[in-house]
Amino acid sequence: MAEFRPCCPQPADWLGRGLVTLEDVSRLQVVSGKGGTGKTTVAAALALALATEGKRTLLVEVEGRQGIAQRFETEALPYEERKIAVAPGGGEVFALAIDPELALLDYLQMFYKLGSAGRALKKLGAIDFATTIAPGLRDVLLTGKACEAVRRKDKTGRFKYDYVVMDAPPTGRITRFLNVNDEVAGLAKIGPIHNQAQAVMRVLKSAETAVHLVTLLEEMPVQETADGIAELRAARLPVGRVIVNMVRPEVLDAADLELVRTVPRAAVARSLSAAGLGGARRGGHAERLVDPLLAQAEEYAERHTLEHEQRAVLGELGLPLHELPLLAEGMDLAGLYELATELRKQGMS
């Protein structure tokens, strides 16, 4: 079982001891996005990209969907840190699926030394009851565990992981999820819970953290991304970059599209016939292909216009913008490595 350690041994003196330095910028990379945008895929690719050149990355899952295991084509992840991939250059990717119930047991043992009493509470169903009726408590445990992994050091004093990547909840919940410790610190004015909550927020609101949002070039995901960025900024949480996923290749440029709109049907039929696709006269095979092809071109033109409009909207958000291609062969492990390479080329590692 993974051990739940405090985010900082002495939260009250945390900054004074110089634990956050300029060299530690964005060691916690949080990835969110509207459902269906592929945020788990992007988080997995980012973990691979960051692990190249001998780095060690921990990829953390907090939603209990085992999406990371699926992306890396491995068995379901337990509540322990397990190596799941080797990156180019010998780097390593570890993964952890955080179980709120087990994390709460660790927390109770760490602060209150409950030991067997905590395990008895689990048998009685009290742990499940607590994490179910108090979703805020669940989020405290999830963010706290990720924070602990960011700050953990080995016996030599080096950080165990160079980066921690969190596959976070969707955009609509991300600000509340990350900001829950502020609420807890306000409710618990003193004591270990207050100190732990404050320590977590110091990490989440520092330059050590970057919250990236994944979107598609579609109106609804782009609007949700813009709303999410506004909420994160209002909460003083550090927004990182916008990653546009599943971008289709540009088949026709603006000039080609204009030509499609104005070219006579007969000319299209003759061109198809010259290419060996049948007769150009009415009823000929080439002539029968004209309408379906023009309809497809018109559909492409509409999508082309929409994507350019949404790209312009994203450009106005004032954040670095990255694009990942739609993989024609579908998403598999090889595709994940391909996306990781693309992220590295675009400077995200």
Side-chain angles (χ1 to χ4, degrees), residues 160-192:
K160 181 171 182 179
Y161 296 107
D162 297 288
Y163 298 98
V164 175
V165 178
M166 180 194 293
D167 178 20
T171 314
R173 290 206 305 118
I174 187 61
T175 300
R176 179 69 183 273
F177 172 77
L178 294 176
N179 216 34
V180 68
N181 287 277
D182 257 355
E183 300 177 16
V184 171
L187 292 173
K189 299 296 184 183
I190 59 173

Side-chain angles (χ1 to χ4, degrees), residues 29 31 44 60 92 115 121-122 125 140 165 179 212 216 242 251 264 268 273 278 282 285 302 322-323 338 340:
Q29 308 264 335
V31 179
V60 177
E92 298 175 317
L121 287 173
K122 177 175 174 59
V140 166
V165 178
N179 216 34
H212 308 303
L216 305 176
V242 174
V251 179
V268 176
S273 180
R282 179 176 291 277
H285 187 66
E302 291 177 4
H322 303 267
E323 296 191 4
E338 183 178 338

